[in-house]
Amino acid sequence: MSISRATLEALDRDDRLAAFRDEFDLPPGVIYLDGNSLGALPKATRGRLARAVDQEWGRGLIRSWNDAGWIDLPQRLGAQISGLIGAQEDEVVVADSTSVNIFKLAAAAVRMRPGRRVILSEPGNFPTDLYMIQGLSDLLGGAVELRTVERDRIAEALGPDVALLLLTQVHYKTGALHDMAALTARAHAAGALTLWDLSHSAGALDVDLNGAGADFAIGCGYKYLNGGPGAPAFLFVARRHQDQAVQPLSGWMGHAAPFDFVDSYRPAAGIRRHLCGTPSILGMTALAEGVSILTRAAMQDIRAKSQRMGDIFITLVEQMCDQAGFALISPRDAGQRGSHVSLSHPDGYAIMQALIARGVIGDFRAPDALRFGFTPLYLGYADLWDAVSHLAAIMATGEYRQDRFQIRAAVT
Ligand SMILES: *Cc1c(COP(=O)(O)O)cnc(C)c1O
């Protein structure tokens, strides 16, 4: 059954999330399919940042740490994010980058499982997740070992030597979704803890950390949370672990009494011990705007629209580009998929450059994946029709073979 643009226009007219599109500042003529990599700019962010710079910083100066509530912003923003990921308000804090938070929480977790030396993950996990564990392992002189096993073998690999299972809930390349509840239960049965990377989940899926019994999680502020380039990241520590979990980057902002200025480190109670240094206030202020939009939308509506968009996109590619040589590398079943769809093609890089030149922005992941992200708050169904029409035209004319589309940029 083929899909027409009129069908998609009708879906847009019925879309409960349609009004959110006006809250984002998108350039005219652009179809943005990369909100999974860098979320769009919320219109309110510009004014909010101007106020933070002009009033809070410019006029308030150092007084704003108290008067503008800067000092508590990591916890306040963490509490806001907690509602998006099935956590309690005091289980989430905003700090550092996702990479740094992986290091902090993986180290905290292995300290809680003495006698077990393995951190289990999967090959092809997002590189920084694996690299940070390699760095931790080197630092500890091999007392911790990174072991990777293919995703269908993870359950059986959870043996008595495993301290921590580190997985990304939605795979950055394929979009494949892990069963967080089932794998967490399996890890617990084996005596291991879990650390879930929610970089491609938070703001896109109805994540339920406490429903799944998760121990630790981290996630990214600049993807579906629309916090802006290099936005601070968040981390989650289940309440039941908060007294035992001690992270190694023992900076003064995680101290029980930072303004006592004593010489020896004593971790704060609760989630605040997972801070390290002075919070990035302008970054967190921008992130708070992005998050506040999401807290006004129903996550079930976002998930339902995202799944439907993925299904429609796949059908449209098959309908309009059936001879073009694309292979679907994402799960076809929307229940097994996050909020992006990836296609492989040997000329993937050049094809994506040709699409971007036409204003359809996705991205490319080596060696051959074209990635298309669906952000239900600012993308309409008819946009999918227009995007795939451009793709079909590029393939039919061979436009992507032009020299200008072959040159690799630093960021793909
Ligand atoms: C985007 C992403 C990151 C990003 O880490 P940074 O420290 O922000 O660079 C980490 N893990 C996964 C799975 C990601 O998708």
Side-chain angles (χ1 to χ4, degrees), residues 209-267:
L209 285 172
N210 282 328
D215 302 289
F216 300 99
I218 68 267
C220 188
Y222 51 80
K223 291 171 179 159
Y224 295 100
L225 300 185
N226 305 312
F234 65 87
L235 65 85
F236 158 90
V237 178
R239 206 181 265 164
R240 65 184 178 281
H241 295 316
Q242 288 188 356
D243 291 341
Q244 295 88 50
V246 178
Q247 58 93 4
L249 301 187
S250 43
W252 72 309
M253 284 292 156
H255 191 279
F259 288 89
D260 282 0
F261 294 101
V262 296
D263 283 352
S264 53
Y265 182 75
R266 187 161 51 87

Side-chain angles (χ1 to χ4, degrees), residues 101-115:
N101 289 335
I102 290 168
F103 184 87
K104 285 152 56 179
L105 293 189
V110 294
R111 283 168 74 157
M112 291 167 60
R113 287 294 179 271

Side-chain angles (χ1 to χ4, degrees), residues 277-288:
T278 304
S280 158
I281 295 301
L282 296 179
M284 288 190 193
T285 299
L287 176 57

Side-chain angles (χ1 to χ4, degrees), residues 74-141:
Q75 289 111 295
R76 275 206 316 280
L77 187 46
Q80 238 188 326
I81 291 171
S82 71
L84 305 177
I85 55 176
Q88 299 294 312
E89 292 194 348
D90 60 0
E91 292 178 313
V92 181
V93 75
V94 174
D96 304 314
S97 64
T98 306
S99 300
V100 171
N101 289 335
I102 290 168
F103 184 87
K104 285 152 56 179
L105 293 189
V110 294
R111 283 168 74 157
M112 291 167 60
R113 287 294 179 271
R116 293 171 175 246
R117 59 191 299 273
V118 173
I119 296 180
L120 189 67
S121 192
E122 64 175 313
N125 194 353
F126 192 80
T128 211
D129 297 55
L130 301 179
Y131 300 163
M132 294 309 292
I133 302 304
Q134 289 164 23
L136 178 63
S137 174
D138 287 349
L139 178 70
L140 298 178

